[in-house]
Amino acid sequence: MSGCVPSDCPHRERLGYTRDGQLTCEAAMLTLDVKGLYEKWYQDILDSQGADTGHIPHTAPFLGGGGGPGGWGGAVYLLPMAFHRIYGDKSLLEKGYPAMIRWLEYMDSRSEDGIVVREEEGGWCLGEWSAPGPQEDMIPAEFVNTYYYIQGLKACREAAALLDREAPAWLEERIRASEEALLRRYFDPQTGDFCSGRGAANAFARILHLGDARTKENLIAKYRAATTLDTGIFGTPILLEQLFREGEADLAYRLLTSQGPASFARMKQAGATTLWEVWDGSSSHNHPMFGSVVKLLFTEILGIRQKKGSCGFRDITLAPAQIPALQWAEGQIRTPAGTVHVRWDRTPQDTLAITSRLPPDAKDS
């Protein structure tokens, strides 16, 4: 990475794209001193929101640029939720909660039968981006945007509880309607696949707890047979995180370190010192959004996690992923509670011997 997170690139557009900024925010918060930066940038997002519509633009401060309503506009809830989880600070949620509600109303106004189908007049309304192959072969944009809408509705429910506010009366009904709409339009009851198994569609669905046992089986079988990634900037972190959650850490690691045409190794072998915008290197050679997976080095490889429901790393669980290809790992993060340092080594008995240094006031559960 070179330049200022959050930004798309330091050499071409140099804009605060809401997509790039939300995708990489957790990785940045875990590795860099960016609390003040995100406080400032979130205010830019709020200042840029459409006064009449509630639309969150693709760049903040708004200086043009293309994108879509979900993966870009979703920064209005994704950023403050991540900020709270990592820093234990509700201030952005307090400030942004009304904007989240207005954005959800906007997304509803751009929906038909529970599916987000459009954005601003003349806008791109993008979904997945930078997956291998032509845009028309990617997961349908409506599927991706509706996923982010549903996640936003659920984030609003969580934020309301955290802030001790009453959630909007329409929240649960809209979650139900959009989830049912995704099933009607994109789920194949004959195969168990979403979107015919394209990209990481089944991983998106699994995160929403949609589909059935075959959805999980198909997801794992597909990527066990794969030699390279077929996902873009949204699907890549969603796929890898879900594989870790499914107990498929070794498969996630193999994809993360694969050598195929759509891989991080290909960038490195080509001499890259910063991440590319697209896997084949045909566009910008300095874009941050694929760096979203950096957080997995800490949360999965080192296993530094927070107990469910906790924030600010005050209640820590150490649970490194079981990856036979790795013999050891070591690293640290600086948290509001203090520095968390972890090293593990594989023993002759094929278990992991963990040594750690935790902040004095942090609990290890």
Side-chain angles (χ1 to χ4, degrees), residues 343-354:
R343 180 183 173 101
W344 62 259
D345 295 89
R346 191 171 298 281
T347 70
Q349 294 75 37
D350 204 31
T351 60
L352 303 185
I354 303 173

Side-chain angles (χ1 to χ4, degrees), residues 310-333:
S310 70
C311 60
F313 290 89
R314 292 186 290 267
D315 198 342
I316 297 170
T317 299
L318 300 180
Q322 289 284 354
I323 300 172
L326 290 178
Q327 297 304 305
W328 64 274
E330 183 175 13
Q332 66 183 33
I333 56 173

Side-chain angles (χ1 to χ4, degrees), residues 161-221:
L162 287 168
L163 299 173
D164 197 25
R165 300 191 188 188
E166 187 173 349
W170 40 258
L171 206 63
E172 299 303 325
E173 171 57 25
R174 290 189 190 173
I175 293 172
R176 183 199 63 76
S178 287
E179 288 185 338
E180 289 183 358
L182 283 183
L183 284 167
R184 284 196 306 272
R185 182 172 297 192
Y186 297 109
F187 180 66
D188 185 344
Q190 300 301 314
T191 65
D193 277 322
F194 284 79
C195 306
S196 303
R198 262 190 287 174
N202 287 334
F204 282 80
R206 288 286 296 167
I207 289 174
L208 295 176
H209 305 291
L210 298 179
D212 55 31
R214 296 170 301 166
T215 310
K216 174 182 175 178
E217 293 163 4
N218 293 349
L219 175 71
I220 294 169

Side-chain angles (χ1 to χ4, degrees), residues 30-31 66 68 88 111 122 128 132 141 176 194 197 250 254 268 277 280 331 338 343 357:
L30 288 172
T31 57
S111 300
E128 180 69 294
R176 183 199 63 76
F194 284 79
D250 193 46
R254 185 171 63 76
K268 184 177 180 182
E277 180 181 15
D280 64 8
R343 180 183 173 101
R357 293 195 306 273

Side-chain angles (χ1 to χ4, degrees), residues 11-343:
H11 61 289
R12 194 177 72 189
E13 294 166 280
R14 297 186 293 278
L15 299 176
Y17 269 96
T18 43
R19 164 201 68 182
D20 305 65
Q22 69 87 356
L23 276 169
T24 57
C25 70
E26 286 193 77
M29 290 175 192
L30 288 172
T31 57
L32 300 168
D33 182 8
V34 292
K35 189 170 189 275
L37 173 66
Y38 281 111
E39 288 173 324
K40 186 271 180 191
W41 188 55
Y42 192 60
Q43 186 61 55
D44 291 338
I45 292 173
L46 300 184
D47 290 344
S48 300
Q49 186 174 32
D52 298 326
T53 65
H55 175 246
I56 298 293
H58 308 136
T59 57
F62 179 58
L63 291 167
W72 282 254
V76 74
Y77 74 85
L78 288 158
L79 181 57
M81 292 300 288
F83 194 88
H84 172 256
R85 273 195 307 275
I86 291 175
Y87 296 124
D89 186 334
K90 297 180 185 177
S91 62
L92 298 195
L93 283 174
E94 290 274 8
K95 181 187 295 187
Y97 185 76
M100 291 168 57
I101 300 292
R102 292 179 59 224
W103 177 77
L104 290 171
E105 293 280 38
Y106 171 84
M107 293 292 276
D108 182 65
S109 74
R110 266 58 181 177
S111 300
E112 293 178 3
D113 298 323
I115 299 291
V116 180
V117 295
R118 61 187 179 278
E119 196 181 22
E120 297 301 273
E121 189 68 31
W124 291 6
C125 202
L126 297 178
E128 180 69 294
W129 185 250
S130 295
Q135 181 73 20
E136 55 267 23
D137 288 344
M138 297 184 198
I139 304 172
E142 292 86 353
F143 179 86
V144 175
N145 284 311
T146 305
Y147 166 87
Y148 278 105
Y149 175 43
I150 293 169
Q151 291 290 69
L153 291 164
K154 293 179 178 180
C156 180
R157 178 173 62 193
E158 184 179 350
L162 287 168
L163 299 173
D164 197 25
R165 300 191 188 188
E166 187 173 349
W170 40 258
L171 206 63
E172 299 303 325
E173 171 57 25
R174 290 189 190 173
I175 293 172
R176 183 199 63 76
S178 287
E179 288 185 338
E180 289 183 358
L182 283 183
L183 284 167
R184 284 196 306 272
R185 182 172 297 192
Y186 297 109
F187 180 66
D188 185 344
Q190 300 301 314
T191 65
D193 277 322
F194 284 79
C195 306
S196 303
R198 262 190 287 174
N202 287 334
F204 282 80
R206 288 286 296 167
I207 289 174
L208 295 176
H209 305 291
L210 298 179
D212 55 31
R214 296 170 301 166
T215 310
K216 174 182 175 178
E217 293 163 4
N218 293 349
L219 175 71
I220 294 169
K222 172 186 172 176
Y223 285 102
R224 279 182 179 166
T227 57
T228 190
L229 289 162
D230 66 345
T231 47
I233 59 170
F234 300 115
T236 297
I238 283 172
L239 168 65
L240 295 172
E241 287 182 53
Q242 188 59 27
L243 288 175
F244 276 114
R245 289 192 192 108
E246 303 280 17
E248 294 290 331
D250 193 46
L251 175 55
Y253 175 79
R254 185 171 63 76
L255 291 169
L256 192 58
T257 59
S258 67
Q259 306 277 319
S263 69
F264 295 102
R266 183 177 186 273
M267 297 184 197
K268 184 177 180 182
Q269 289 159 2
T273 56
T274 49
L275 292 170
W276 295 348
E277 180 181 15
V278 293
W279 293 117
D280 64 8
S282 61
S283 189
S284 166
H285 286 182
N286 191 351
H287 255 65
M289 64 272 192
F290 274 117
S292 57
V293 299
V294 165
K295 73 175 182 180
L296 301 176
L297 303 178
F298 302 94
T299 60
E300 302 296 339
I301 306 299
L302 288 178
I304 304 172
R305 303 178 192 171
Q306 302 192 70
K307 187 177 180 181
K308 188 174 182 180
S310 70
C311 60
F313 290 89
R314 292 186 290 267
D315 198 342
I316 297 170
T317 299
L318 300 180
Q322 289 284 354
I323 300 172
L326 290 178
Q327 297 304 305
W328 64 274
E330 183 175 13
Q332 66 183 33
I333 56 173
R334 286 184 299 170
T335 77
T339 298
V340 180
H341 181 276
V342 175
R343 180 183 173 101

